[in-house]
Amino acid sequence: MRVESEEILQGTVSAVIFQNQENGYTVLRLNCETGETVTVVGVIPMSVVGERLLITGKWTNHPSHGRQFEAEFLERLMPESEREILAYLSSRTLKGVGEKIAERIVTAFGRRSLDVIEMEPERLAEIPGISLRKAKEISEAFHQQIGIRRLMEFLSAHGLPAALSVRLYRFYGTEAEELLQDNPYLLADPLFGAEFAAVDRFAIDLGMAGDDPRRIEAGILFELTHNLNNGHTFLPKNKLCAATMELLDLEQECVLGAMTRLLESGRIEQDVVAGLTACYLPELYEAETYCSARLAAMAAAEMEAPRNMEPLIRQIQQQTNIQYAPAQVDAMRQAVRHQVLIITGGPGTGKTTTLGGVLQMFDLLGLKTQLAAPTGRAAKRLSELTGRDASTIHRLLEVQFSEENGEMCFAHDEDEPLKADAMILDETSMVDVLLMRSLLLALQPKCRLILVGDPDQLPSVGPGNLFSDLIRSGRIATVRLTEIFRQAQESLIVMNAHAVNRGELPILHMKNKDFFFLKRTSPQQTVETIRDLCSQRLPQNMGISADEIQVLSPTRRHDTGTKNLNKVLQNALNPHMPGKNEKVFGDYIFREGDRVMQIRNNYDIVWKRVGGLGAGTGIFNGDIGRITSLDFSEETVTIIFDDREAVYGFDMLNELEPAYAMTVHKSQGSEYRAVVLAASQGSPLLLTRSILYTAITRARELLVVVGDENVLAYMTNNNHHSRRYSGLKLRLEQE
């Protein structure tokens, strides 16, 4: 590509050919004042037809697209002529203003149209079809757009993603740029999702010294926050210090001084755990200490058992026509005698049957029992298996806005506890220490708690190793279900899951109705076979629709990772068609009809019940939905999650991913009629026994493994578990 000398162009945007809303990269056509129309490329966020630009850059010759102007710096000049203003407003750059309204505004106010919108919005109400309320909304949209654009240009000039500006503006409004100038490390808050290295370069660009206290404190807090993603509730002080020194390229003395300041100001907490000086974020320290104290107190509580418990057990067996195994009967007795009880077991060991017995017992004792699970899919499955209503923990606790601190919080806590005498929590291995604290806070002092799960599955995505810590502490009464029942022994899914758990290679070549292995030696063959299974073979040969199939992979990367699989499956199952709206955002195309997944908790999203009364807030990490419509005039995406309909703005698409394929981690707590597992490429840290075991146990009726049996052998033998720094087990032992 040949580059020419730097020049300055001035002109009006006549067409926006491409625009990436994540990073602001744009390809547009510019009508220059010289009369020439040229192609301009570069970071020009939120560019619209009709606006005037003053661009500094260089001419380049692209091998495919020919001569184009590469923008390096730009200045926005608002449209001046009536024609430019009409084009600008007609481009739907302002919410609520289309071609007809734009024409009326320009007819009424001519070249002063934008001044009226900005400074005299009430005059818009003089135009037929524009109410005073709509006039104010148009003006607010104009001010917001100008503010976001300026913020985008400020961030883009320093190499930061343009998409950050929307979140920043939503949080700080017109003060965002000024606040960032004062402390650029505000961007390091997880709320904004900016990479620390990029924020650090930004701060240095703005003139911040390498040893500025704000920089060092932000680096320490970043290391603690970042390591929550690795499951750690704390970091040893020496490791935290070393990591921060490497991150910021500073001496130990500077970092230790900043740690002292953070400790004195209450922004970090310090304690001794197993001889280590442990550094916590305050919310993690409070969560861990509260959980250990509350659960230890519950474990020590003596619950009064009825004298007729054995006759009650016989009555339950007669009513259900089930002859419970000794361990299942023991679980029913223990659930009555203890305030907190753990029930564990692998697939086919009768956890669901045991839960049914415990529920029957609580009913006979007159206890009001609430069922809960960490995710919507897990709660739905629990409800189907027990025939009782079950809820996610988040919805059970009810998200609400706190007028006290302006943040989202749970409505139920120690001041407003749940009206339940007993709580049964399924898939406890998925629950992190923060969520467990919130649940415990909402339980009445004498409420019973039954924790159910499989300790051999993957630990929670969030911080801590809660379920394993509770079991290993020995402080909580535990019933282990180990007997595989006869009916379950007929399932190769169940038997292979237990084989893998023992470190034995699963049976791959036995003809069976529920487990199949399709050997494919290359990643490309693996991807093609998975595509054909989902689009043709399983729907046509086994009557399993594509909606009932979930593709899993240990990894996001590589050809057989979820990122590539989602693109391949989208093209096969929901291809581009005329009349079907789609939106390019970041690495993905979001299309009407797509299956999508929410990838972070968002307590602010408003939803309403489909076809009925009721509404609420909050869509959570792992929730699966389907895009029903894309509205370009309103810049919104409508998604139905089970029976809830939510509307997203285009700027919120970074919270969604396609869900035709998902990682095994994301599938935790869910069960699917059919699972197709890609067993091919991946990091040794992801090709582990626990990931293979978890993947196998996600399938209810059918599991098809596609790939290399050597990879399956490696996963079976690789019993690696990443160490998580957690003090819960030790605290429970010491309570």
Side-chain angles (χ1 to χ4, degrees):
M1 183 184 292
R2 190 165 62 85
V3 179
E4 300 179 11
S5 59
E6 189 174 274
E7 289 187 25
I8 298 175
L9 295 183
Q10 183 169 326
T12 304
V13 177
S14 59
V16 178
I17 299 166
F18 170 80
Q19 193 158 66
N20 185 319
Q21 289 189 316
E22 279 281 277
N23 57 28
Y25 182 80
T26 302
V27 179
L28 57 82
R29 298 285 286 169
L30 188 75
N31 290 339
C32 299
E33 292 185 340
T34 59
E36 184 184 11
T37 300
V38 302
T39 299
V40 180
V41 300
V43 178
I44 313 173
M46 291 183 74
S47 186
V48 295
V49 172
E51 72 174 335
R52 296 167 61 238
L53 300 176
L54 183 67
I55 306 173
T56 302
K58 296 177 181 178
W59 288 103
T60 63
N61 275 306
H62 192 279
S64 301
H65 304 295
R67 193 166 185 253
Q68 53 191 29
F69 194 75
E70 196 169 287
E72 295 179 354
F73 305 100
L74 69 95
E75 181 182 347
R76 294 185 190 268
L77 309 169
M78 294 306 295
E80 289 183 344
S81 70
E82 291 187 12
R83 181 179 176 184
E84 289 171 350
I85 293 170
L86 179 60
Y88 172 75
L89 293 177
S90 297
S91 66
R92 296 191 180 276
T93 183
L94 298 182
K95 188 176 179 180
V97 179
E99 291 183 15
K100 290 182 179 178
I101 294 293
E103 192 172 335
R104 291 176 194 169
I105 292 173
V106 175
T107 300
F109 302 111
R111 298 181 65 175
R112 292 199 64 249
S113 295
L114 298 182
D115 292 335
V116 170
I117 291 173
E118 182 178 11
M119 295 175 289
E120 303 175 83
E122 66 280 355
R123 291 198 60 195
L124 294 175
E126 299 170 9
I127 298 172
I130 301 180
S131 65
L132 186 59
R133 179 181 175 182
K134 185 169 184 177
K136 290 179 180 178
E137 288 175 353
I138 292 171
S139 182
E140 286 170 5
F142 182 78
H143 282 281
Q144 181 177 339
Q145 187 191 85
I146 297 300
I148 292 175
R149 277 186 174 182
R150 286 172 182 159
L151 198 52
M152 276 185 170
E153 288 160 10
F154 173 61
L155 295 176
S156 298
H158 294 280
L160 288 167
L164 286 173
S165 57
V166 178
R167 276 166 269 167
L168 277 166
Y169 192 88
R170 187 178 291 158
F171 201 77
Y172 294 119
T174 55
E175 297 178 351
E177 185 174 335
E178 184 180 345
L179 290 169
L180 286 178
Q181 293 274 12
D182 181 60
N183 183 9
Y185 290 99
L186 290 174
L187 270 176
D189 191 300
L191 177 72
F192 304 116
E195 293 183 8
F196 185 84
V199 176
D200 200 37
R201 287 193 299 271
F202 172 54
I204 300 300
D205 280 351
L206 293 181
M208 184 169 283
D211 61 353
D212 188 293
R214 291 170 296 178
R215 179 175 186 252
I216 309 172
E217 291 167 14
I220 293 168
L221 294 173
F222 164 76
E223 287 292 347
L224 284 174
T225 303
H226 174 73
N227 276 283
L228 297 180
N229 298 325
N230 297 324
H232 304 308
T233 59
F234 72 84
L235 286 180
K237 185 175 182 179
N238 61 332
K239 288 186 177 292
L240 176 59
C241 183
T244 309
M245 289 166 59
E246 182 177 353
L247 177 73
L248 303 179
D249 192 22
L250 289 172
E251 298 297 320
Q252 184 181 55
E253 184 180 354
C254 294
V255 176
L256 290 175
M259 282 185 177
T260 300
R261 291 193 300 273
L262 288 170
L263 191 62
E264 289 172 349
S265 64
R267 295 170 71 193
I268 64 171
E269 296 284 348
Q270 203 167 280
D271 203 352
V272 177
V273 177
L276 298 171
T277 301
C279 294
Y280 290 83
L281 291 169
E283 64 200 285
L284 270 299
Y285 180 75
E286 202 279 334
E288 191 173 275
T289 53
Y290 178 82
C291 285
S292 63
R294 178 73 189 273
L295 287 167
M298 292 173 73
E302 293 185 9
M303 308 301 286
E304 186 176 344
R307 294 181 180 179
N308 63 335
M309 186 154 61
E310 296 309 311
L312 287 177
I313 292 173
R314 289 194 293 272
Q315 180 182 337
I316 292 169
Q317 293 191 119
Q318 289 173 355
Q319 288 176 345
T320 59
N321 198 27
I322 295 173
Q323 186 63 44
Y324 292 97
Q328 294 175 316
V329 173
D330 183 43
M332 293 161 68
R333 294 193 189 105
Q334 300 264 30
V336 174
R337 292 173 179 153
H338 297 280
Q339 189 177 1
V340 58
L341 172 68
I342 294 172
I343 300 175
T344 75
T349 57
K351 291 196 299 294
T352 302
T353 303
T354 305
L355 274 186
V358 171
L359 273 168
Q360 293 271 5
M361 177 64 76
F362 285 170
D363 286 347
L364 292 174
L365 295 177
L367 301 178
K368 181 182 178 183
T369 306
Q370 175 69 56
L371 276 66
T375 68
R377 287 169 289 160
K380 186 177 180 182
R381 175 171 165 264
L382 180 60
S383 182
E384 290 169 351
L385 291 173
T386 61
R388 308 284 186 103
D389 288 336
S391 172
T392 64
I393 300 173
H394 285 93
R395 292 193 181 91
L396 189 67
L397 300 179
E398 295 181 45
V399 178
Q400 67 175 18
F401 183 79
S402 170
E403 294 183 1
E404 194 173 307
N405 56 21
E407 296 178 356
M408 303 308 290
C409 63
F410 290 122
H412 292 286
D413 54 19
E414 64 268 47
D415 297 324
E416 190 67 38
L418 295 165
K419 293 179 173 63
D421 304 309
M423 173 70 62
I424 294 178
L425 177 62
D426 198 14
E427 297 288 354
T428 310
S429 62
M430 294 181 66
V431 180
D432 63 40
V433 69
L434 290 168
L435 191 54
M436 179 56 77
R437 171 190 174 272
S438 296
L439 179 62
L440 290 172
L441 278 169
L443 297 184
Q444 298 184 83
K446 293 185 178 180
C447 182
R448 299 168 191 262
L449 177 62
I450 311 296
L451 303 172
V452 185
D454 184 347
D456 296 314
Q457 287 186 26
L458 294 168
S460 61
V461 175
N465 206 11
L466 185 128
F467 196 49
S468 177
D469 282 352
L470 296 184
I471 294 170
R472 292 185 299 115
S473 74
R475 287 297 304 274
I476 313 294
T478 302
V479 175
R480 293 176 173 84
L481 304 175
T482 57
E483 179 185 350
I484 304 175
F485 289 91
R486 183 176 178 180
Q487 186 177 359
Q489 290 178 11
E490 298 174 3
S491 166
L492 201 53
I493 291 174
V494 171
M495 300 312 292
N496 274 337
H498 286 279
V500 167
N501 210 18
R502 295 190 299 267
E504 300 170 7
L505 187 67
I507 299 168
L508 301 178
H509 303 292
M510 179 187 292
K511 289 188 177 180
N512 189 281
K513 62 181 179 181
D514 72 351
F515 188 106
F516 297 91
F517 172 67
L518 301 180
K519 183 175 181 177
R520 299 294 183 268
T521 54
S522 75
Q524 184 178 354
Q525 289 177 328
T526 300
V527 172
E528 290 172 355
T529 300
I530 290 172
R531 178 198 61 204
D532 293 344
L533 283 167
C534 295
S535 61
Q536 299 175 34
R537 293 168 64 176
L538 295 183
Q540 292 173 8
N541 300 335
M542 302 191 74
I544 301 174
S545 70
D547 289 343
E548 298 175 295
I549 304 167
Q550 183 60 59
V551 175
L552 300 181
S553 174
T555 180
R556 290 174 57 84
R557 299 173 57 221
H558 306 296
D559 291 342
T560 56
T562 59
K563 200 168 182 180
N564 183 56
L565 283 170
N566 269 313
K567 291 179 180 179
V568 171
L569 292 169
Q570 182 190 45
N571 288 334
L573 301 174
N574 188 33
H576 170 79
M577 292 177 63
K580 183 182 287 187
N581 289 335
E582 58 184 48
K583 170 72 177 172
V584 177
F585 191 93
D587 294 328
Y588 300 112
I589 297 171
F590 292 96
R591 187 174 293 145
E592 289 176 345
D594 274 342
R595 185 196 305 175
V596 293
M597 173 171 56
Q598 176 78 13
I599 59 172
R600 61 173 62 96
N601 289 340
N602 188 326
Y603 300 96
D604 299 328
I605 296 177
V606 177
W607 52 262
K608 62 181 181 181
R609 295 285 178 202
V610 176
L613 298 174
T617 59
I619 301 293
F620 304 107
N621 189 2
D623 283 355
I624 301 290
R626 190 167 296 278
I627 296 175
T628 57
S629 68
L630 280 153
D631 187 328
F632 286 95
S633 62
E634 295 294 321
E635 297 193 345
T636 58
V637 182
T638 302
I639 303 169
I640 292 181
F641 297 89
D642 293 327
D643 64 341
R644 293 164 294 130
E645 182 180 87
V647 178
Y648 287 60
F650 281 174
D651 61 291
M652 297 165 63
L653 287 174
N654 64 315
E655 298 190 6
L656 296 169
E657 283 185 359
Y660 299 103
M662 68 175 68
T663 62
V664 177
H665 278 91
K666 286 289 188 182
S667 73
Q668 281 178 272
S670 298
E671 192 176 72
Y672 310 96
R673 183 182 176 191
V675 167
V676 177
L677 172 64
S680 185
Q681 306 152 300
S683 160
L685 295 176
L686 294 173
L687 298 180
T688 66
R689 183 186 300 174
S690 60
I691 284 183
L692 179 56
Y693 174 79
T694 301
I696 293 172
T697 55
R698 298 309 89 206
R700 183 171 71 248
E701 294 181 20
L702 176 68
L703 174 66
V704 183
V705 182
V706 185
D708 189 340
E709 54 193 305
N710 292 322
V711 171
L712 293 175
Y714 181 88
M715 294 179 80
T716 303
N717 292 323
N718 182 12
N719 200 25
H720 171 79
H721 294 277
S722 298
R723 181 183 179 185
R724 292 187 168 201
Y725 288 112
S726 164
L728 183 61
K729 173 179 173 289
L730 290 169
R731 293 183 192 281
L732 277 166
E733 291 172 347
Q734 294 165 7
E735 286 285 352

